[in-house]
């Protein structure tokens, strides 16, 4: 049986690993000692908003704190936050067997490149997780929204498509992962807005002013993509430019037209909100930061995304004292910077 390694046992890693192990995959989880020792008491439970509820007993979990535990794995899923990628890449390069397949299931557009540069003897593929996973405590990891995984097409993946499908994680093999990642980045621009709102995603996206903030951020990014020749993949029912417009319609109309976008667990939150809550560094530099960098490469500006980046930095600094932004306050702030 192929052995699957999880590099970064957190929300996404434990959810994906747990779903795969439940259907018989042999899974090794590498994570931080505190989280792993908590799992030794609780076991691992994976749930979703459509009724999945599966539990793995603590003694069934192969938990490790060092990358060397992945030395025998044929497939390794990298699920650390972007800030940790460069360090993890060096560790993986030292310990993985040649020819192992490594999939970056991270947000941001550059993580697979960083891994690939450090791992010439392994096959590194970009991946994308479209859904949200929340850590609910007591070893429970909950998928709160919908969507199928994307992975760069590669012949070596055929050995895994069966187990991923049985796990309810059927993936799309994509020939243009950069387009997928730039498309996902547009959606992830909401992570900062969600974190600043201090609300669950569904409550935040149900309010027009927050959606208008997202629309401003997306339209700014789309103009830069267009100037740079980047063609983002359409990942929602509407093409990206149309979605940016739909976001601005009144609440009653949005609820009617965007039912799929709001089809999520009312408790789901962005992982950027979770990072702020836990006092961790967020991924804002790999999300809003990419738009700001793109603007500067083009000799242009990205004031809306630069403001969101700045507000998240301030929230990181403020820790538990950070403020919550109402939709109207945030919109006024973003409109003033883009005027
Ligand atoms: N959560 C979501 O809903 C979601 C959805 C789609 C995509 N994503 C993306 O998926 C990626 C993972 O997100 P996540 O929310 O699962 O992150 P997470 O909960 O923070 O999990 C990552 C875990 O890996 C640990 N880690 C980092 N470096 C390590 C090392 N060298 N050895 C052992 N453990 C290490 C982290 O510990 P420390 O915190 O101590 O570093 C953390 O516990 C991100 O790029 C995120 O944007 C997340």
């Amino acid at each position: 049986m192929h052995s699957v390694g999880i590099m970064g046992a957190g929300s996404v890693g434990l959810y994906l690993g747990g779903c795969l192990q439940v259907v018989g995959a042999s899974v090794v989880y590498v994570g931080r000692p505190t989280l792993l020792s908590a799992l030794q008491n609780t076991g691992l439970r994976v749930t979703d908003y459509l009724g999945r509820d599966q539990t793995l007993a603590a003694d069934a979990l192969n938990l490790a704190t060092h990358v060397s535990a992945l030395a025998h794995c044929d497939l390794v899923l990298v699920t650390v936050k972007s800030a940790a990628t460069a360090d993890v890449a060096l560790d993986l390069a030292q310990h993985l067997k040649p020819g192992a397949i490594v999939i970056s299931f991270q947000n941001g557009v550059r993580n697979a490149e960083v891994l690939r540069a450090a791992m010439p003897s392994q096959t590194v593929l970009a991946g994308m997780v479209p859904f949200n996973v929340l850590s609910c405590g007591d070893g429970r990891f909950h998928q709160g929204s919908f969507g199928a995984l994307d992975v760069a097409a590669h012949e070596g993946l055929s050995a895994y498509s069966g187990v991923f499908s049985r796990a309810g994680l059927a993936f799309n093999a994509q020939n243009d992962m950069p387009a997928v990642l730039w498309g996902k980045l547009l959606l992830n621009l909401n992570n900062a807005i969600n974190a600043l709102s201090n609300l669950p995603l569904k409550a935040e996206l149900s309010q027009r002013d927050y959606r208008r903030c997202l629309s401003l951020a997306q339209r700014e990014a789309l103009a830069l993509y267009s100037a740079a020749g980047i063609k983002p993949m359409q990942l929602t029912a509407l093409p990206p430019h149309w979605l940016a417009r739909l976001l601005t319609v009144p609440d009653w109309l949005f609820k009617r037209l965007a039912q799929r976008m709001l089809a999520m667990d009312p408790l789901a939150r962005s992982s950027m909100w979770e990072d702020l809550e836990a006092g961790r560094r967020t991924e804002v530099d790999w999300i809003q930061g990419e738009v700001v960098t793109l603007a500067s490469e083009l000799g242009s500006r990205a004031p809306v995304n630069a403001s969101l980046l700045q507000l998240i930095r301030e929230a990181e600094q403020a820790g538990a004292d950070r403020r919550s932004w109402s939709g109207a306050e945030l919109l006024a702030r973003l409109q003033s910077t883009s005027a």
Side-chain angles (χ1 to χ4, degrees):
M1 188 199 312
H2 291 290
S3 188
V4 181
I6 301 293
M7 183 61 237
S11 298
V12 169
L14 287 165
Y15 183 78
L16 297 180
C19 293
L20 290 167
Q21 189 178 342
V22 161
V23 295
S26 159
V27 182
V28 186
Y29 306 83
V30 174
R32 299 296 189 200
T34 340
L35 188 63
L36 299 188
S37 63
L39 288 173
Q40 272 153 0
N41 294 323
T42 58
L44 173 61
R45 184 174 165 209
V46 286
T47 60
D48 74 16
Y49 75 116
L50 295 173
R52 180 199 287 268
D53 194 344
Q54 294 159 320
T55 301
L56 291 157
D59 62 6
L61 299 174
N62 189 347
L63 306 172
T65 54
H66 196 266
V67 189
S68 53
L70 304 180
H72 67 288
C73 290
D74 308 291
L75 175 69
V76 173
L77 313 184
V78 176
T79 55
V80 295
K81 289 265 166 57
S82 304
T85 306
D87 285 348
V88 155
L90 296 177
D91 284 345
L92 289 172
Q94 243 191 315
H95 293 283
L96 293 197
K97 60 184 183 192
I101 296 181
V102 176
I103 305 176
S104 158
F105 273 126
Q106 303 164 278
N107 281 328
V109 292
R110 283 177 216 282
N111 285 300
E113 278 170 34
V114 172
L115 293 166
R116 199 171 293 125
M119 281 187 269
S121 308
Q122 288 79 24
T123 297
V124 177
L125 305 175
M128 193 276 278
V129 178
F131 49 77
N132 168 274
V133 181
L134 188 67
S135 167
C136 304
D138 294 328
R140 179 178 162 218
F141 293 85
H142 180 74
Q143 177 182 338
S145 56
F146 62 88
L149 301 174
D150 285 314
V151 186
H154 188 274
E155 58 198 11
L157 290 176
S158 56
Y160 301 98
S161 56
V163 71
F164 271 73
S165 293
R166 287 197 300 284
L169 297 172
F171 55 79
N172 301 314
Q174 295 283 3
N175 290 316
D176 189 357
M177 274 309 289
V180 172
L181 296 178
W182 284 108
K184 179 75 188 302
L185 192 86
L186 289 172
L187 304 178
N188 284 143
L189 295 177
N190 186 50
N191 293 5
I193 297 163
N194 177 256
L196 294 167
S197 76
N198 216 3
L199 291 172
L201 280 159
K202 188 167 185 158
E204 175 237 320
L205 286 169
S206 298
Q207 294 185 37
R208 186 185 190 194
D209 282 343
Y210 289 123
R211 294 196 309 274
R212 291 173 73 194
C213 295
L214 177 56
S215 177
L216 285 176
Q218 288 190 344
R219 280 185 292 168
E220 182 177 87
L222 281 164
L224 294 163
Y225 283 15
S226 177
I230 294 169
K231 294 196 170 62
M233 190 169 282
Q234 177 179 335
L235 300 175
T236 55
L238 289 178
H241 282 93
W242 291 23
L243 178 66
R245 282 189 184 189
L246 174 72
L247 290 169
T248 63
V249 303
D251 290 340
W252 64 270
L253 188 55
F254 186 76
K255 274 178 201 151
R256 192 171 295 177
L257 296 177
Q259 283 171 13
R260 245 186 109 204
M261 199 169 168
L262 292 175
M264 66 176 82
D265 192 296
L267 297 179
R269 306 242 187 184
S270 69
S271 61
M272 198 171 289
W273 175 84
E274 279 198 325
D275 286 339
L276 288 182
E277 277 294 288
R280 293 185 298 242
R281 183 180 175 188
T282 70
E283 287 186 303
V284 74
D285 286 327
W286 287 267
I287 300 177
Q288 259 77 20
E290 287 292 351
V291 181
V292 174
T293 303
L294 186 61
S296 107
E297 285 168 359
L298 292 165
S300 182
R301 289 173 64 247
V304 172
N305 284 289
S307 277
L308 287 166
L309 190 148
Q310 180 58 29
L311 293 177
I312 291 292
R313 289 231 174 95
E314 285 168 21
E316 286 172 340
Q317 296 285 320
D321 296 329
R322 74 184 197 277
R323 59 166 292 189
S324 304
W325 289 75
S326 73
E329 289 167 337
L330 192 56
L331 182 62
R333 175 66 174 256
L334 299 184
Q335 283 172 332
S336 72
T337 53
S338 61

